[in-house]
Amino acid sequence: MSAKTIPLTAVRQALMLAVVKKAIGGREVDGKVLARVAAYTYYAPMLATTCRNARRGPQRHFPGLHIGPMEVGDFARVVERARSERGLPEVRRTWGMGLRTLLAAIDNGTMR
């Protein structure tokens, strides 16, 4: 598999979590709001850092992931990138709303 491809299993998982998020309608579950999830080509979690000190035992390697939560800032950057690279019609076609409406939804937490 190329480093520039997104595995199909990661895409399926992200879509299933989007369905779950839509089904609960943005309500809190156990006091937490379900985050928007995206599939990536490679997502290095914070646990990917390893200790190189030999006295602390063997070096551990944590594999990277291909699925992870999107923060509000990340989603806003995705929208801006789509606008700058493809134009406003692409933003409306992809998300079903105009740029101002979409950015307002991101700011007030609707699109989280």
Side-chain angles (χ1 to χ4, degrees):
M1 180 185 306
S2 169
K4 296 192 182 258
T5 59
I6 300 173
L8 184 58
T9 56
V11 174
R12 285 183 179 154
Q13 291 169 352
L15 288 174
M16 183 53 68
L17 286 170
V19 168
V20 169
K21 181 174 174 59
K22 188 170 185 171
I24 65 172
R27 296 185 311 266
E28 291 185 2
V29 177
D30 295 330
K32 298 179 182 174
V33 177
L34 185 63
R36 182 174 290 266
V37 176
Y40 299 105
T41 54
Y42 178 78
Y43 173 69
M46 290 176 53
L47 295 175
T49 57
T50 59
C51 179
R52 298 192 187 280
N53 190 340
R55 292 181 297 155
R56 297 189 184 183
Q59 182 176 0
R60 294 187 182 135
H61 175 69
F62 296 100
L65 304 173
H66 292 281
I67 186 169
M70 288 184 69
E71 298 293 330
V72 174
D74 293 338
F75 192 55
R77 280 196 337 225
V78 169
V79 172
E80 275 300 319
R81 186 168 151 190
R83 183 199 61 78
S84 65
E85 291 180 2
R86 306 284 181 170
L88 290 173
E90 179 69 19
V91 172
R92 184 172 293 282
R93 187 182 70 79
T94 303
W95 287 284
M97 58 183 83
L99 181 65
R100 282 188 231 157
T101 308
L102 183 59
L103 291 177
I106 293 168
D107 287 341
N108 69 16
T110 307
M111 294 297 285
R112 287 187 185 176

